[in-house]
């Protein structure tokens, strides 16, 4: 799963808060540089980390919600301009499951339920037309991630 596809790779995780993106990232891409607004706190720092990763040519994971095509576009454009292979993983989850996982978080990690619901309403499913080289569906069953090829 974590093999390099064609040289440098950028992974975009897509899913509402509480869908399991960060846990999936930790389990499947531990050697990749993680670029996350949750970790970097500001868009300026996130943009700097993205540019540094691309300049350095490292494999990276964008661990944000990335629920709209517009949000994903900046990362895909940067990756394509620098010949990165772009893989998307859509973590499909039911909103009640995401709310339950979110309720287990504490401090700044816990997101207001209204924000989780709001992001769910904004969700636009990814498609190959955005520039992805590969796309996958990811679901959670019995506490394990199930990865399937994207249905074109």
């Amino acid at each position: 799963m974590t093999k390099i596809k064609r040289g440098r790779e950028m992974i975009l995780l897509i899913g509402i808060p509480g869908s399991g993106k960060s846990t999936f990232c930790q389990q499947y891409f531990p050697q990749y540089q993680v670029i996350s607004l949750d970790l970097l706190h500001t868009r300026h720092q996130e943009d700097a980390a993205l540019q540094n990763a691309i300049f350095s040519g490292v494999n990276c994971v964008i661990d944000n919600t990335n629920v709209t095509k517009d949000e994903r576009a900046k990362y895909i454009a940067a990756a394509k301009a620098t010949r990165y292979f772009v893989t998307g993983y859509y973590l499909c989850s039911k909103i009640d499951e995401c709310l339950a996982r979110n309720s287990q978080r504490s401090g700044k990690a816990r997101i207001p339920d209204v924000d989780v619901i709001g992001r769910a309403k904004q969700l636009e499913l990814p498609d190959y037309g955005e520039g992805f080289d590969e796309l996958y569906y990811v679901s959670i069953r019995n506490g394990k991630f199930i990865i399937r090829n994207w249905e074109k």
Side-chain angles (χ1 to χ4, degrees):
M1 175 56 59
T2 58
K3 66 179 177 155
I4 307 307
K5 308 294 187 204
R6 289 180 212 155
R8 301 173 299 180
E9 181 178 29
M10 179 183 289
I11 306 276
L12 265 78
L13 301 181
I14 303 154
I16 65 175
S19 60
K21 295 177 302 297
S22 295
T23 302
F24 180 77
C25 178
Q26 292 165 3
Q27 287 183 16
Y28 287 88
F29 305 103
Q31 74 279 22
Y32 282 43
Q33 180 176 336
V34 177
I35 299 172
S36 166
L37 192 56
D38 288 344
L39 298 174
L40 298 167
H41 307 293
T42 68
R43 287 285 177 202
H44 177 74
Q45 288 180 318
E46 183 199 42
D47 289 343
L50 176 64
Q51 292 306 315
N52 184 51
I54 288 172
F55 179 77
S56 301
V58 299
N59 297 313
C60 57
V61 177
I62 310 300
D63 183 9
N64 293 329
T65 57
N66 299 313
V67 296
T68 69
K69 290 181 181 191
D70 284 345
E71 290 168 353
R72 297 186 291 265
K74 92 171 188 180
Y75 303 111
I76 294 170
K80 291 300 181 181
T82 53
R83 297 176 174 231
Y84 270 72
F85 189 88
V86 181
T87 306
Y89 289 88
Y90 167 61
L91 283 91
C92 46
S93 292
K94 295 178 181 166
I95 196 156
D96 58 330
E97 294 169 347
C98 293
L99 290 169
R101 281 191 284 275
N102 185 51
S103 73
Q104 301 301 310
R105 298 173 175 173
S106 61
K108 291 182 179 183
R110 190 173 192 302
I111 299 162
D113 288 353
V114 68
D115 292 346
V116 175
I117 294 165
R119 293 305 278 162
K121 289 179 180 177
Q122 295 174 328
L123 180 65
E124 298 174 297
L125 291 178
D127 65 62
Y128 280 99
E130 294 177 62
F132 288 103
D133 295 300
E134 288 183 352
L135 270 170
Y136 297 95
Y137 286 100
V138 180
S139 57
I140 301 172
R141 208 171 299 137
N142 299 320
K144 297 191 184 227
F145 291 106
I146 309 299
I147 303 167
R148 295 180 294 144
N149 288 327
W150 192 260
E151 305 276 330
K152 291 184 182 181

